[in-house]
Amino acid sequence: MAYRKTGKVVAQLEANRTRILDAARALVFAGGFQAASMAAVAARAGVATGTLYRYFASREALLLDVFRAISDVEMSRLEDIAAGPGLPAARLRDVVHGFASRAVRGARQTYSLLAEPLDGALAEERLAYRRRHAAIFERLIREAQAAGEVASLDAHVTAAAIAGAIPSALTLHGPDNVPDADALSAAVLRMCGLDPYTDIISPSEELSHDQSA
């Protein structure tokens, strides 16, 4: 007769797995993925290093679960903003500002998710994560264009530029010397022909205003 785990055993196994994931996430937040060695995770979780392999086939498998858990939370927040009330351009501003603000507040986490050198499956997961960002921006840009709110832009290219600009700014400054969130989001929005504070303007209108000043 095959052994069947009791409810108590299943609950204990799940609690151990959660404790391991929490330990790995804390290490990533503090020092990046490079800080989350199996030995360090085991020590923080209060288990033997060998115990980790009962739950995760490899360090990469463990860190993939950590990456996905963190990125899913971040993407959910941006999707909620993007799907909120208001005109598309206003929601685009809110999403970009929300992305920039969270990136600046959690600069070390952002660096780990978007800029820290990674390879293998983690690098592929990061690329998928950045594409999810770009897809949100592209959708809102297209909605704003259809509503006549923004200038005619290549929505796909512009969305990719937005998705890359914020992590690139943090990478160039470094996680310990981050730019101001408002200034960062304002600069990114202007790339889209959006005024970050008041009315929505197109690049051609902005130029005509400059010439008439």
Side-chain angles (χ1 to χ4, degrees):
M1 183 176 178
Y3 170 72
R4 296 181 62 185
K5 295 184 178 72
T6 66
K8 184 176 181 179
V9 171
V10 171
Q12 183 60 53
L13 290 172
E14 187 58 33
N16 289 343
R17 188 177 189 277
T18 299
R19 188 164 69 252
I20 291 167
L21 284 169
D22 288 345
R25 183 165 48 244
L27 289 166
V28 169
F29 283 0
F33 286 95
Q34 63 179 351
S37 67
M38 292 300 258
V41 172
R44 189 176 184 95
V47 301
T49 301
T51 300
L52 301 185
Y53 294 96
R54 294 177 58 189
Y55 299 89
F56 302 95
S58 64
R59 176 175 179 267
E60 183 176 66
L62 168 59
L63 295 184
L64 273 173
D65 271 14
V66 171
F67 191 105
R68 288 166 181 159
I70 299 170
S71 61
D72 283 350
V73 169
E74 295 301 315
M75 290 305 306
S76 178
R77 293 178 186 276
L78 294 184
E79 287 284 9
D80 286 346
I81 297 171
L87 294 173
R91 285 184 278 122
L92 176 59
R93 280 198 297 256
D94 290 344
V95 169
V96 172
H97 189 269
F99 182 22
S101 297
R102 290 184 62 76
V104 168
R105 286 200 306 270
R108 285 198 169 276
Q109 174 183 324
T110 303
Y111 178 80
S112 299
L113 285 174
L114 297 174
E116 181 183 347
L118 300 174
D119 53 24
L122 279 170
E124 293 175 8
E125 191 70 23
R126 170 190 282 160
L127 183 58
Y129 179 50
R130 295 183 71 165
R131 283 174 174 158
R132 290 169 69 190
H133 279 125
I136 294 176
F137 301 138
E138 182 172 353
R139 184 174 74 243
L140 289 172
I141 291 169
R142 292 190 186 281
E143 288 180 17
Q145 288 175 330
E149 296 181 288
V150 300
S152 178
L153 301 167
D154 186 317
H156 185 70
V157 172
T158 304
I162 296 172
I166 292 173
S168 293
L170 292 176
T171 302
L172 291 172
H173 284 81
D176 296 317
N177 184 27
V178 297
D180 176 77
D182 290 338
L184 178 56
S185 62
V188 172
L189 285 164
R190 287 194 179 99
M191 291 194 312
C192 307
L194 294 174
D195 186 298
Y197 304 111
T198 54
D199 296 329
I200 300 161
I201 55 176
S202 70
S204 60
E205 289 171 337
E206 187 174 33
L207 179 59
S208 66
H209 292 330
D210 290 342
Q211 290 175 336
S212 62

